[in-house]
Amino acid sequence: MASSLAMRARTLEANGLNGTLVDLETRATKGDHQALRLWLRLLSCTVRIENHVRGGLRQEFETTLPRFDLMAQLERHPDGLRMSDVSKRLMVSGGNVTGITDQLEREGLVIRSLDRRDRRALTVKLTETGLKRFRDMAADMNCGSSNYSAGSARKKSRSCSICSRSLKRT
């Protein structure tokens, strides 16, 4: 891995990009189509933000982004969700949801019960402790995400938001 990073750094230096942040966008060349360059730039921004969020969750709360995501889904549904619905909402396998739910249940943050409408299915919901913990994390994330973009001017942020909304519609 270190040798591939060193090779990449030499390539960047040879192309006059010494000191440039090495990310997905740096894979693009001047000859690449604009749509590819835009895609790589957006993906690079997404990865940077996600890494920042993951680091904050790990450092401040000793938890992971998948655990936070699962709790976020449950917070929106106080009566709980079927495990299969959680899986669909998170776009992960049922096995992933089961593993995360097992961890959260051991910590007393969620409880599982038989679904009232279908006893073959399990429903999972946040406990009071889980709800409090999630809200603490969410409040910190709101502060953290605004701190992450604090260097950006509001006008630029608004413009980026409008542009990304437009891209999402196409």
PDB file of all heavy atoms in Angstrom, residues 66-98:
ATOM      1  N   PRO A  66     -22.919   2.598  10.698  1.00  0.00           N
ATOM      2  CA  PRO A  66     -24.057   1.692  10.525  1.00  0.00           C
ATOM      3  C   PRO A  66     -24.957   1.608  11.766  1.00  0.00           C
ATOM      4  O   PRO A  66     -26.185   1.560  11.650  1.00  0.00           O
ATOM      5  CB  PRO A  66     -23.402   0.335  10.229  1.00  0.00           C
ATOM      6  CG  PRO A  66     -22.083   0.689   9.628  1.00  0.00           C
ATOM      7  CD  PRO A  66     -21.653   1.945  10.340  1.00  0.00           C
ATOM      8  N   ARG A  67     -24.358   1.628  12.941  1.00  0.00           N
ATOM      9  CA  ARG A  67     -25.168   1.608  14.176  1.00  0.00           C
ATOM     10  C   ARG A  67     -25.983   2.887  14.290  1.00  0.00           C
ATOM     11  O   ARG A  67     -27.157   2.866  14.644  1.00  0.00           O
ATOM     12  CB  ARG A  67     -24.257   1.425  15.390  1.00  0.00           C
ATOM     13  CG  ARG A  67     -23.661   0.036  15.488  1.00  0.00           C
ATOM     14  CD  ARG A  67     -22.510  -0.025  16.482  1.00  0.00           C
ATOM     15  NE  ARG A  67     -22.835   0.515  17.778  1.00  0.00           N
ATOM     16  CZ  ARG A  67     -22.957  -0.186  18.898  1.00  0.00           C
ATOM     17  NH1 ARG A  67     -22.788  -1.489  18.878  1.00  0.00           N
ATOM     18  NH2 ARG A  67     -23.232   0.400  20.029  1.00  0.00           N
ATOM     19  N   PHE A  68     -25.359   4.027  13.993  1.00  0.00           N
ATOM     20  CA  PHE A  68     -26.058   5.311  14.029  1.00  0.00           C
ATOM     21  C   PHE A  68     -27.203   5.310  13.014  1.00  0.00           C
ATOM     22  O   PHE A  68     -28.308   5.747  13.322  1.00  0.00           O
ATOM     23  CB  PHE A  68     -25.071   6.443  13.727  1.00  0.00           C
ATOM     24  CG  PHE A  68     -25.720   7.796  13.691  1.00  0.00           C
ATOM     25  CD1 PHE A  68     -25.931   8.516  14.861  1.00  0.00           C
ATOM     26  CD2 PHE A  68     -26.130   8.356  12.490  1.00  0.00           C
ATOM     27  CE1 PHE A  68     -26.535   9.772  14.833  1.00  0.00           C
ATOM     28  CE2 PHE A  68     -26.740   9.603  12.448  1.00  0.00           C
ATOM     29  CZ  PHE A  68     -26.939  10.316  13.625  1.00  0.00           C
ATOM     30  N   ASP A  69     -26.943   4.816  11.806  1.00  0.00           N
ATOM     31  CA  ASP A  69     -27.978   4.780  10.764  1.00  0.00           C
ATOM     32  C   ASP A  69     -29.174   3.938  11.193  1.00  0.00           C
ATOM     33  O   ASP A  69     -30.325   4.321  10.973  1.00  0.00           O
ATOM     34  CB  ASP A  69     -27.412   4.225   9.456  1.00  0.00           C
ATOM     35  CG  ASP A  69     -26.517   5.208   8.733  1.00  0.00           C
ATOM     36  OD1 ASP A  69     -26.563   6.416   9.050  1.00  0.00           O
ATOM     37  OD2 ASP A  69     -25.767   4.768   7.839  1.00  0.00           O
ATOM     38  N   LEU A  70     -28.910   2.786  11.785  1.00  0.00           N
ATOM     39  CA  LEU A  70     -30.005   1.924  12.242  1.00  0.00           C
ATOM     40  C   LEU A  70     -30.827   2.636  13.320  1.00  0.00           C
ATOM     41  O   LEU A  70     -32.052   2.664  13.269  1.00  0.00           O
ATOM     42  CB  LEU A  70     -29.460   0.600  12.771  1.00  0.00           C
ATOM     43  CG  LEU A  70     -30.516  -0.473  13.030  1.00  0.00           C
ATOM     44  CD1 LEU A  70     -29.937  -1.862  12.733  1.00  0.00           C
ATOM     45  CD2 LEU A  70     -31.047  -0.446  14.433  1.00  0.00           C
ATOM     46  N   MET A  71     -30.143   3.259  14.257  1.00  0.00           N
ATOM     47  CA  MET A  71     -30.841   3.983  15.323  1.00  0.00           C
ATOM     48  C   MET A  71     -31.632   5.165  14.755  1.00  0.00           C
ATOM     49  O   MET A  71     -32.730   5.469  15.236  1.00  0.00           O
ATOM     50  CB  MET A  71     -29.849   4.441  16.395  1.00  0.00           C
ATOM     51  CG  MET A  71     -29.235   3.274  17.162  1.00  0.00           C
ATOM     52  SD  MET A  71     -27.925   3.787  18.297  1.00  0.00           S
ATOM     53  CE  MET A  71     -28.907   4.459  19.643  1.00  0.00           C
ATOM     54  N   ALA A  72     -31.104   5.808  13.711  1.00  0.00           N
ATOM     55  CA  ALA A  72     -31.805   6.932  13.081  1.00  0.00           C
ATOM     56  C   ALA A  72     -33.122   6.466  12.468  1.00  0.00           C
ATOM     57  O   ALA A  72     -34.146   7.152  12.573  1.00  0.00           O
ATOM     58  CB  ALA A  72     -30.920   7.585  12.015  1.00  0.00           C
ATOM     59  N   GLN A  73     -33.109   5.305  11.840  1.00  0.00           N
ATOM     60  CA  GLN A  73     -34.344   4.767  11.274  1.00  0.00           C
ATOM     61  C   GLN A  73     -35.360   4.479  12.379  1.00  0.00           C
ATOM     62  O   GLN A  73     -36.547   4.784  12.241  1.00  0.00           O
ATOM     63  CB  GLN A  73     -34.062   3.492  10.469  1.00  0.00           C
ATOM     64  CG  GLN A  73     -33.302   3.727   9.193  1.00  0.00           C
ATOM     65  CD  GLN A  73     -34.012   4.692   8.274  1.00  0.00           C
ATOM     66  OE1 GLN A  73     -35.212   4.607   8.055  1.00  0.00           O
ATOM     67  NE2 GLN A  73     -33.261   5.639   7.719  1.00  0.00           N
ATOM     68  N   LEU A  74     -34.901   3.905  13.467  1.00  0.00           N
ATOM     69  CA  LEU A  74     -35.808   3.565  14.567  1.00  0.00           C
ATOM     70  C   LEU A  74     -36.339   4.808  15.269  1.00  0.00           C
ATOM     71  O   LEU A  74     -37.483   4.821  15.735  1.00  0.00           O
ATOM     72  CB  LEU A  74     -35.107   2.642  15.568  1.00  0.00           C
ATOM     73  CG  LEU A  74     -34.678   1.287  15.018  1.00  0.00           C
ATOM     74  CD1 LEU A  74     -33.942   0.492  16.094  1.00  0.00           C
ATOM     75  CD2 LEU A  74     -35.872   0.507  14.479  1.00  0.00           C
ATOM     76  N   GLU A  75     -35.533   5.864  15.331  1.00  0.00           N
ATOM     77  CA  GLU A  75     -35.974   7.094  15.990  1.00  0.00           C
ATOM     78  C   GLU A  75     -37.163   7.692  15.251  1.00  0.00           C
ATOM     79  O   GLU A  75     -38.045   8.287  15.861  1.00  0.00           O
ATOM     80  CB  GLU A  75     -34.798   8.085  16.037  1.00  0.00           C
ATOM     81  CG  GLU A  75     -35.047   9.265  16.960  1.00  0.00           C
ATOM     82  CD  GLU A  75     -35.541  10.510  16.233  1.00  0.00           C
ATOM     83  OE1 GLU A  75     -35.465  10.548  14.987  1.00  0.00           O
ATOM     84  OE2 GLU A  75     -36.015  11.437  16.911  1.00  0.00           O
ATOM     85  N   ARG A  76     -37.218   7.492  13.955  1.00  0.00           N
ATOM     86  CA  ARG A  76     -38.326   8.027  13.148  1.00  0.00           C
ATOM     87  C   ARG A  76     -39.594   7.190  13.275  1.00  0.00           C
ATOM     88  O   ARG A  76     -40.645   7.603  12.797  1.00  0.00           O
ATOM     89  CB  ARG A  76     -37.908   8.081  11.679  1.00  0.00           C
ATOM     90  CG  ARG A  76     -36.848   9.110  11.404  1.00  0.00           C
ATOM     91  CD  ARG A  76     -36.477   9.137   9.923  1.00  0.00           C
ATOM     92  NE  ARG A  76     -35.354  10.025   9.722  1.00  0.00           N
ATOM     93  CZ  ARG A  76     -34.110   9.616   9.492  1.00  0.00           C
ATOM     94  NH1 ARG A  76     -33.830   8.343   9.427  1.00  0.00           N
ATOM     95  NH2 ARG A  76     -33.148  10.493   9.325  1.00  0.00           N
ATOM     96  N   HIS A  77     -39.478   6.016  13.884  1.00  0.00           N
ATOM     97  CA  HIS A  77     -40.613   5.098  14.020  1.00  0.00           C
ATOM     98  C   HIS A  77     -40.689   4.608  15.465  1.00  0.00           C
ATOM     99  O   HIS A  77     -40.217   3.507  15.788  1.00  0.00           O
ATOM    100  CB  HIS A  77     -40.461   3.913  13.056  1.00  0.00           C
ATOM    101  CG  HIS A  77     -40.410   4.351  11.629  1.00  0.00           C
ATOM    102  ND1 HIS A  77     -41.556   4.564  10.890  1.00  0.00           N
ATOM    103  CD2 HIS A  77     -39.375   4.659  10.814  1.00  0.00           C
ATOM    104  CE1 HIS A  77     -41.216   4.969   9.685  1.00  0.00           C
ATOM    105  NE2 HIS A  77     -39.902   5.037   9.614  1.00  0.00           N
ATOM    106  N   PRO A  78     -41.289   5.404  16.344  1.00  0.00           N
ATOM    107  CA  PRO A  78     -41.317   5.091  17.781  1.00  0.00           C
ATOM    108  C   PRO A  78     -41.931   3.723  18.108  1.00  0.00           C
ATOM    109  O   PRO A  78     -41.580   3.124  19.118  1.00  0.00           O
ATOM    110  CB  PRO A  78     -42.148   6.215  18.385  1.00  0.00           C
ATOM    111  CG  PRO A  78     -42.130   7.309  17.382  1.00  0.00           C
ATOM    112  CD  PRO A  78     -41.945   6.663  16.044  1.00  0.00           C
ATOM    113  N   ASP A  79     -42.843   3.229  17.249  1.00  0.00           N
ATOM    114  CA  ASP A  79     -43.443   1.915  17.502  1.00  0.00           C
ATOM    115  C   ASP A  79     -42.556   0.781  17.009  1.00  0.00           C
ATOM    116  O   ASP A  79     -42.907  -0.389  17.174  1.00  0.00           O
ATOM    117  CB  ASP A  79     -44.823   1.813  16.838  1.00  0.00           C
ATOM    118  CG  ASP A  79     -45.826   2.757  17.490  1.00  0.00           C
ATOM    119  OD1 ASP A  79     -45.657   3.071  18.690  1.00  0.00           O
ATOM    120  OD2 ASP A  79     -46.770   3.188  16.787  1.00  0.00           O
ATOM    121  N   GLY A  80     -41.453   1.117  16.392  1.00  0.00           N
ATOM    122  CA  GLY A  80     -40.516   0.125  15.905  1.00  0.00           C
ATOM    123  C   GLY A  80     -40.724  -0.199  14.437  1.00  0.00           C
ATOM    124  O   GLY A  80     -41.680   0.244  13.803  1.00  0.00           O
ATOM    125  N   LEU A  81     -39.781  -0.946  13.904  1.00  0.00           N
ATOM    126  CA  LEU A  81     -39.825  -1.396  12.517  1.00  0.00           C
ATOM    127  C   LEU A  81     -39.540  -2.888  12.468  1.00  0.00           C
ATOM    128  O   LEU A  81     -38.789  -3.399  13.296  1.00  0.00           O
ATOM    129  CB  LEU A  81     -38.753  -0.685  11.683  1.00  0.00           C
ATOM    130  CG  LEU A  81     -38.970   0.757  11.301  1.00  0.00           C
ATOM    131  CD1 LEU A  81     -37.695   1.338  10.682  1.00  0.00           C
ATOM    132  CD2 LEU A  81     -40.129   0.878  10.321  1.00  0.00           C
ATOM    133  N   ARG A  82     -40.127  -3.543  11.484  1.00  0.00           N
ATOM    134  CA  ARG A  82     -39.754  -4.936  11.251  1.00  0.00           C
ATOM    135  C   ARG A  82     -38.292  -4.964  10.815  1.00  0.00           C
ATOM    136  O   ARG A  82     -37.818  -4.053  10.134  1.00  0.00           O
ATOM    137  CB  ARG A  82     -40.606  -5.548  10.144  1.00  0.00           C
ATOM    138  CG  ARG A  82     -42.012  -5.839  10.563  1.00  0.00           C
ATOM    139  CD  ARG A  82     -42.725  -6.491   9.420  1.00  0.00           C
ATOM    140  NE  ARG A  82     -44.081  -6.825   9.828  1.00  0.00           N
ATOM    141  CZ  ARG A  82     -44.950  -7.403   9.032  1.00  0.00           C
ATOM    142  NH1 ARG A  82     -44.619  -7.708   7.791  1.00  0.00           N
ATOM    143  NH2 ARG A  82     -46.155  -7.676   9.475  1.00  0.00           N
ATOM    144  N   MET A  83     -37.622  -6.019  11.178  1.00  0.00           N
ATOM    145  CA  MET A  83     -36.218  -6.158  10.805  1.00  0.00           C
ATOM    146  C   MET A  83     -36.060  -6.068   9.283  1.00  0.00           C
ATOM    147  O   MET A  83     -35.129  -5.450   8.791  1.00  0.00           O
ATOM    148  CB  MET A  83     -35.659  -7.487  11.328  1.00  0.00           C
ATOM    149  CG  MET A  83     -35.627  -7.597  12.842  1.00  0.00           C
ATOM    150  SD  MET A  83     -34.268  -6.710  13.576  1.00  0.00           S
ATOM    151  CE  MET A  83     -32.945  -7.848  13.238  1.00  0.00           C
ATOM    152  N   SER A  84     -36.984  -6.674   8.543  1.00  0.00           N
ATOM    153  CA  SER A  84     -36.902  -6.636   7.079  1.00  0.00           C
ATOM    154  C   SER A  84     -37.058  -5.210   6.554  1.00  0.00           C
ATOM    155  O   SER A  84     -36.430  -4.833   5.560  1.00  0.00           O
ATOM    156  CB  SER A  84     -37.957  -7.554   6.455  1.00  0.00           C
ATOM    157  OG  SER A  84     -39.254  -7.153   6.853  1.00  0.00           O
ATOM    158  N   ASP A  85     -37.874  -4.395   7.217  1.00  0.00           N
ATOM    159  CA  ASP A  85     -38.043  -2.995   6.805  1.00  0.00           C
ATOM    160  C   ASP A  85     -36.771  -2.188   7.079  1.00  0.00           C
ATOM    161  O   ASP A  85     -36.400  -1.324   6.288  1.00  0.00           O
ATOM    162  CB  ASP A  85     -39.241  -2.357   7.502  1.00  0.00           C
ATOM    163  CG  ASP A  85     -40.566  -2.921   7.018  1.00  0.00           C
ATOM    164  OD1 ASP A  85     -40.620  -3.417   5.876  1.00  0.00           O
ATOM    165  OD2 ASP A  85     -41.536  -2.884   7.804  1.00  0.00           O
ATOM    166  N   VAL A  86     -36.129  -2.480   8.200  1.00  0.00           N
ATOM    167  CA  VAL A  86     -34.860  -1.801   8.505  1.00  0.00           C
ATOM    168  C   VAL A  86     -33.845  -2.134   7.419  1.00  0.00           C
ATOM    169  O   VAL A  86     -33.146  -1.259   6.904  1.00  0.00           O
ATOM    170  CB  VAL A  86     -34.322  -2.205   9.901  1.00  0.00           C
ATOM    171  CG1 VAL A  86     -32.940  -1.605  10.133  1.00  0.00           C
ATOM    172  CG2 VAL A  86     -35.280  -1.782  11.000  1.00  0.00           C
ATOM    173  N   SER A  87     -33.797  -3.397   7.046  1.00  0.00           N
ATOM    174  CA  SER A  87     -32.879  -3.850   6.003  1.00  0.00           C
ATOM    175  C   SER A  87     -33.125  -3.108   4.693  1.00  0.00           C
ATOM    176  O   SER A  87     -32.185  -2.631   4.049  1.00  0.00           O
ATOM    177  CB  SER A  87     -33.042  -5.364   5.809  1.00  0.00           C
ATOM    178  OG  SER A  87     -32.282  -5.815   4.733  1.00  0.00           O
ATOM    179  N   LYS A  88     -34.367  -2.967   4.308  1.00  0.00           N
ATOM    180  CA  LYS A  88     -34.709  -2.254   3.065  1.00  0.00           C
ATOM    181  C   LYS A  88     -34.336  -0.788   3.152  1.00  0.00           C
ATOM    182  O   LYS A  88     -33.795  -0.210   2.204  1.00  0.00           O
ATOM    183  CB  LYS A  88     -36.203  -2.389   2.770  1.00  0.00           C
ATOM    184  CG  LYS A  88     -36.613  -3.762   2.319  1.00  0.00           C
ATOM    185  CD  LYS A  88     -38.123  -3.859   2.186  1.00  0.00           C
ATOM    186  CE  LYS A  88     -38.543  -5.310   1.988  1.00  0.00           C
ATOM    187  NZ  LYS A  88     -39.997  -5.469   2.124  1.00  0.00           N
ATOM    188  N   ARG A  89     -34.633  -0.164   4.280  1.00  0.00           N
ATOM    189  CA  ARG A  89     -34.358   1.264   4.434  1.00  0.00           C
ATOM    190  C   ARG A  89     -32.862   1.555   4.420  1.00  0.00           C
ATOM    191  O   ARG A  89     -32.430   2.581   3.910  1.00  0.00           O
ATOM    192  CB  ARG A  89     -34.976   1.797   5.722  1.00  0.00           C
ATOM    193  CG  ARG A  89     -36.481   1.870   5.664  1.00  0.00           C
ATOM    194  CD  ARG A  89     -37.067   2.138   7.054  1.00  0.00           C
ATOM    195  NE  ARG A  89     -38.503   2.047   7.036  1.00  0.00           N
ATOM    196  CZ  ARG A  89     -39.309   3.058   6.740  1.00  0.00           C
ATOM    197  NH1 ARG A  89     -38.801   4.226   6.452  1.00  0.00           N
ATOM    198  NH2 ARG A  89     -40.608   2.888   6.731  1.00  0.00           N
ATOM    199  N   LEU A  90     -32.074   0.656   5.011  1.00  0.00           N
ATOM    200  CA  LEU A  90     -30.627   0.858   5.045  1.00  0.00           C
ATOM    201  C   LEU A  90     -29.931   0.308   3.800  1.00  0.00           C
ATOM    202  O   LEU A  90     -28.732   0.528   3.620  1.00  0.00           O
ATOM    203  CB  LEU A  90     -30.029   0.208   6.296  1.00  0.00           C
ATOM    204  CG  LEU A  90     -30.475   0.783   7.636  1.00  0.00           C
ATOM    205  CD1 LEU A  90     -29.849   0.011   8.778  1.00  0.00           C
ATOM    206  CD2 LEU A  90     -30.125   2.258   7.732  1.00  0.00           C
ATOM    207  N   MET A  91     -30.686  -0.424   2.987  1.00  0.00           N
ATOM    208  CA  MET A  91     -30.163  -1.039   1.769  1.00  0.00           C
ATOM    209  C   MET A  91     -28.990  -1.979   2.069  1.00  0.00           C
ATOM    210  O   MET A  91     -27.950  -1.942   1.416  1.00  0.00           O
ATOM    211  CB  MET A  91     -29.774   0.019   0.741  1.00  0.00           C
ATOM    212  CG  MET A  91     -30.965   0.811   0.259  1.00  0.00           C
ATOM    213  SD  MET A  91     -30.592   1.993  -1.047  1.00  0.00           S
ATOM    214  CE  MET A  91     -29.728   3.267  -0.143  1.00  0.00           C
ATOM    215  N   VAL A  92     -29.166  -2.793   3.111  1.00  0.00           N
ATOM    216  CA  VAL A  92     -28.187  -3.812   3.481  1.00  0.00           C
ATOM    217  C   VAL A  92     -28.917  -5.132   3.696  1.00  0.00           C
ATOM    218  O   VAL A  92     -30.142  -5.169   3.795  1.00  0.00           O
ATOM    219  CB  VAL A  92     -27.382  -3.427   4.750  1.00  0.00           C
ATOM    220  CG1 VAL A  92     -26.598  -2.144   4.530  1.00  0.00           C
ATOM    221  CG2 VAL A  92     -28.283  -3.289   5.959  1.00  0.00           C
ATOM    222  N   SER A  93     -28.156  -6.197   3.827  1.00  0.00           N
ATOM    223  CA  SER A  93     -28.761  -7.511   4.008  1.00  0.00           C
ATOM    224  C   SER A  93     -29.369  -7.652   5.399  1.00  0.00           C
ATOM    225  O   SER A  93     -28.986  -6.943   6.339  1.00  0.00           O
ATOM    226  CB  SER A  93     -27.711  -8.606   3.801  1.00  0.00           C
ATOM    227  OG  SER A  93     -26.812  -8.622   4.893  1.00  0.00           O
ATOM    228  N   GLY A  94     -30.281  -8.597   5.501  1.00  0.00           N
ATOM    229  CA  GLY A  94     -30.871  -8.898   6.799  1.00  0.00           C
ATOM    230  C   GLY A  94     -29.824  -9.338   7.804  1.00  0.00           C
ATOM    231  O   GLY A  94     -29.920  -9.041   9.000  1.00  0.00           O
ATOM    232  N   GLY A  95     -28.800 -10.041   7.327  1.00  0.00           N
ATOM    233  CA  GLY A  95     -27.721 -10.481   8.212  1.00  0.00           C
ATOM    234  C   GLY A  95     -26.974  -9.311   8.832  1.00  0.00           C
ATOM    235  O   GLY A  95     -26.603  -9.356  10.011  1.00  0.00           O
ATOM    236  N   ASN A  96     -26.739  -8.260   8.043  1.00  0.00           N
ATOM    237  CA  ASN A  96     -26.078  -7.069   8.587  1.00  0.00           C
ATOM    238  C   ASN A  96     -26.936  -6.417   9.665  1.00  0.00           C
ATOM    239  O   ASN A  96     -26.435  -6.007  10.713  1.00  0.00           O
ATOM    240  CB  ASN A  96     -25.807  -6.048   7.476  1.00  0.00           C
ATOM    241  CG  ASN A  96     -24.650  -6.439   6.604  1.00  0.00           C
ATOM    242  OD1 ASN A  96     -23.871  -7.316   6.935  1.00  0.00           O
ATOM    243  ND2 ASN A  96     -24.543  -5.803   5.453  1.00  0.00           N
ATOM    244  N   VAL A  97     -28.226  -6.309   9.395  1.00  0.00           N
ATOM    245  CA  VAL A  97     -29.142  -5.701  10.362  1.00  0.00           C
ATOM    246  C   VAL A  97     -29.175  -6.530  11.642  1.00  0.00           C
ATOM    247  O   VAL A  97     -29.140  -5.989  12.743  1.00  0.00           O
ATOM    248  CB  VAL A  97     -30.558  -5.538   9.764  1.00  0.00           C
ATOM    249  CG1 VAL A  97     -31.564  -5.135  10.828  1.00  0.00           C
ATOM    250  CG2 VAL A  97     -30.541  -4.507   8.649  1.00  0.00           C
ATOM    251  N   THR A  98     -29.211  -7.856  11.498  1.00  0.00           N
ATOM    252  CA  THR A  98     -29.232  -8.738  12.671  1.00  0.00           C
ATOM    253  C   THR A  98     -27.986  -8.544  13.520  1.00  0.00           C
ATOM    254  O   THR A  98     -28.063  -8.421  14.746  1.00  0.00           O
ATOM    255  CB  THR A  98     -29.371 -10.213  12.239  1.00  0.00           C
ATOM    256  OG1 THR A  98     -30.608 -10.366  11.541  1.00  0.00           O
ATOM    257  CG2 THR A  98     -29.336 -11.148  13.434  1.00  0.00           C
TER     258      THR A  98
END
